Amino acid sequence: MSALAKFRVAFPLLVSARLILTQTSFPDALKHDALLSSPLTSYSHLQEGIYLYNLGVNPYSGGVFHHSPLLLSFFTTVLPNSRWAAHLLWTAADAVAAWSLVSIWRSRQKVPESSRDWIVAAAYLLNPYVLLPTLALSSSSLENALALLALMFASRGKASAAIFCLALLLQMSLSSLLLMAPTLLLLLTSPTSQLASPRPFQSEIRKLVPLVAELAAYTASLTLTSAVVAGGCTWMPQTWGVSLTLPDLTPNPGLWWYFFTEMFDHFRPFFLMVFSVHLLIYIAPMCIKFQHDMLYAAFLLIGVLGTFKAYPTISDPGLFLSMHVLFPEIYPYFRHPIVTALLHLHAALLMPMFHHLWLYQGTGNANFFYASTLVFACANGAALIECVWAGLRIAIGPEKEGFSVSQE
């Protein structure tokens, strides 16, 4: 069977299998799982907001609804508010995300198709970190699709489409600011692999000005639309602001919630600033160090988001792990891939077990679950460090002037 035939068979089969899974009782068991949905991405919170909006009540007045007004308007005007329609949309979003990943791979290789296309699609569609949040109808799956769409259009040089997807993503998640710089810079460079032959930035930086202006125009238009839908600006502190102020300390796979549960109120503003700035400090170093390969810089910043985001779900590091398939040239330069994989397996078993022991069995406490999320953070951090190391080490090669990988 040819490579194209494998892709044409595997892709619809995987998407159809996901759609079949949505018709089982499995999604009902997952819809309230704290690992799959956060207060910002929960489908039940979205349903509550839609219900209040249809009654003429401002859903942002209660401090519980944190979704973008664009999602609110979409579910009350375009898409019927039914669970079947929602599952169809989420499955379609995953299909679009997987297709975007394949398209990015083809752009990076400069080929119309390749023998790895079906592997690239399967790396996303079979990733349990991506599959389970989709079954739970977590809107993080929609954010992943928008992120990959933005990178796909940027890889193809389609500036307006990439910038519009990026503006939509910013409306849904303020943390996606991290992807703004590498996506815009990717439009000025080539998506092909330059890791083995790094060189200075090859384009004029002033070409960024019209791109930034277009992003600002799209963002302003979407913000105005959101204000019209929400009947004012009350949605801003309840959507964008929540990622900065952390009002909801519902347990999640991230590092923020337990730290601020134990934090004295007097020190809270300072540490909120520290945690927020900590995310931003990665942008410049990653974009400067990997200026020769902006797609790789975006990949690493997605890994940063998956590790240090305020309200993450396992879908966030899931996107980072799935994107590994785009960079097979770095595999030989990983130092401890087995240890990193086992850390992820360890955390994937510990987190649901300790969460159940704490909140359902009553035989544990918050420290149990937080300890497992620390293991998860270590696994994500280890994967990120592996990729940074490999991205730098590949420029030297396996052997150069007597220096070999085995001697490190």
Side-chain angles (χ1 to χ4, degrees):
M1 185 181 292
S2 67
L4 183 59
K6 285 182 181 178
F7 177 71
R8 286 177 174 174
V9 171
F11 188 80
L13 279 178
L14 290 173
V15 174
S16 300
R18 279 170 167 259
L19 199 56
I20 292 171
L21 274 176
T22 63
Q23 301 309 302
T24 66
S25 59
F26 198 39
D28 292 328
L30 301 175
K31 61 183 178 181
H32 298 302
D33 196 306
L35 302 177
L36 311 180
S37 300
S38 72
L40 275 64
T41 63
S42 169
Y43 182 72
S44 59
H45 286 194
L46 177 61
Q47 288 291 95
E48 183 177 349
I50 293 170
Y51 178 75
L52 293 173
Y53 185 77
N54 288 332
L55 288 179
V57 179
N58 184 356
Y60 297 102
S61 60
V64 175
F65 184 69
H66 304 299
H67 289 77
S68 168
L70 297 179
L71 271 183
L72 191 66
S73 63
F74 184 76
F75 274 96
T76 53
T77 57
V78 179
L79 194 72
N81 184 23
S82 70
R83 199 162 184 83
W84 162 249
H87 279 303
L88 190 62
L89 173 65
W90 260 257
T91 304
D94 270 4
V96 168
W99 174 259
S100 300
L101 202 64
V102 172
S103 183
I104 294 169
W105 164 253
R106 290 173 175 175
S107 298
R108 189 166 175 82
Q109 301 299 314
K110 286 190 172 180
V111 294
E113 60 183 63
S114 77
S115 59
R116 282 175 57 88
D117 287 351
W118 70 276
I119 298 176
V120 174
Y124 190 87
L125 293 173
L126 292 180
N127 186 342
Y129 285 1
V130 174
L131 171 61
L132 295 178
T134 297
L135 294 178
L137 296 177
S138 170
S139 61
S140 57
S141 299
L142 306 181
E143 295 170 15
N144 285 353
L146 284 173
L148 288 174
L149 274 173
L151 291 175
M152 180 196 74
F153 287 126
S155 298
R156 291 181 171 185
K158 297 181 178 179
S160 295
I163 292 171
F164 182 69
C165 289
L166 185 60
L168 279 174
L169 182 60
L170 290 174
Q171 290 292 312
M172 294 183 64
S173 172
L174 184 65
S175 303
S176 301
L177 276 170
L178 270 70
L179 302 182
M180 184 175 70
T183 304
L184 294 179
L185 290 170
L186 181 58
L187 287 165
L188 304 181
T189 58
S190 171
T192 56
S193 178
Q194 306 292 334
L195 293 174
S197 54
R199 54 181 181 268
F201 189 69
Q202 298 293 310
S203 184
E204 295 181 11
I205 202 71
R206 64 183 179 184
K207 292 182 179 178
L208 272 178
V209 175
L211 300 179
V212 173
E214 188 174 357
L215 177 61
Y218 283 140
T219 303
S221 300
L222 292 173
T223 302
L224 181 61
T225 303
S226 296
V228 171
V229 171
C233 295
T234 56
W235 63 275
M236 290 186 181
Q238 294 298 330
T239 53
W240 291 343
V242 167
S243 297
L244 301 174
T245 58
L246 207 78
D248 193 321
L249 295 176
T250 301
N252 59 64
L255 298 172
W256 290 45
W257 68 273
Y258 187 81
F259 186 86
F260 285 97
T261 298
E262 302 295 322
M263 178 62 59
F264 290 111
D265 289 341
H266 179 72
F267 300 106
R268 184 180 172 89
F270 171 74
F271 281 100
L272 282 171
M273 180 271 295
V274 170
F275 274 55
S276 298
V277 171
H278 174 253
L279 273 173
L280 298 177
I281 64 175
Y282 290 96
I283 300 175
M286 294 294 188
C287 290
I288 292 172
K289 193 62 184 176
F290 293 98
Q291 58 185 285
H292 50 282
D293 198 329
M294 278 300 156
L295 183 60
Y296 199 74
F299 163 65
L300 294 177
L301 287 172
I302 287 173
V304 170
L305 270 177
T307 307
F308 299 114
K309 196 175 179 181
Y311 287 100
T313 66
I314 61 172
S315 181
D316 297 294
L319 174 60
F320 175 64
L321 294 176
S322 291
M323 286 185 70
H324 277 68
V325 75
L326 297 177
F327 312 100
E329 66 270 26
I330 66 174
Y331 297 169
Y333 299 93
F334 287 159
R335 290 182 297 175
H336 312 294
I338 296 178
V339 174
T340 303
L342 289 177
L343 272 174
H344 266 287
L345 178 61
H346 190 56
L349 295 174
L350 281 182
M351 284 194 296
M353 181 172 65
F354 281 177
H355 186 267
H356 184 79
L357 287 175
W358 171 31
L359 294 179
Y360 294 94
Q361 294 289 352
T363 54
N365 55 43
N367 293 320
F368 281 55
F369 181 62
Y370 189 61
S372 64
T373 62
L374 287 178
V375 176
F376 190 54
C378 288
N380 293 326
L384 182 60
I385 292 170
E386 288 276 6
C387 292
V388 172
W389 165 265
L392 297 174
R393 185 67 180 81
I394 191 175
I396 302 174
E399 292 187 2
K400 187 174 183 179
E401 297 180 358
F403 183 74
S404 65
V405 175
S406 61
Q407 294 170 334
E408 294 167 11

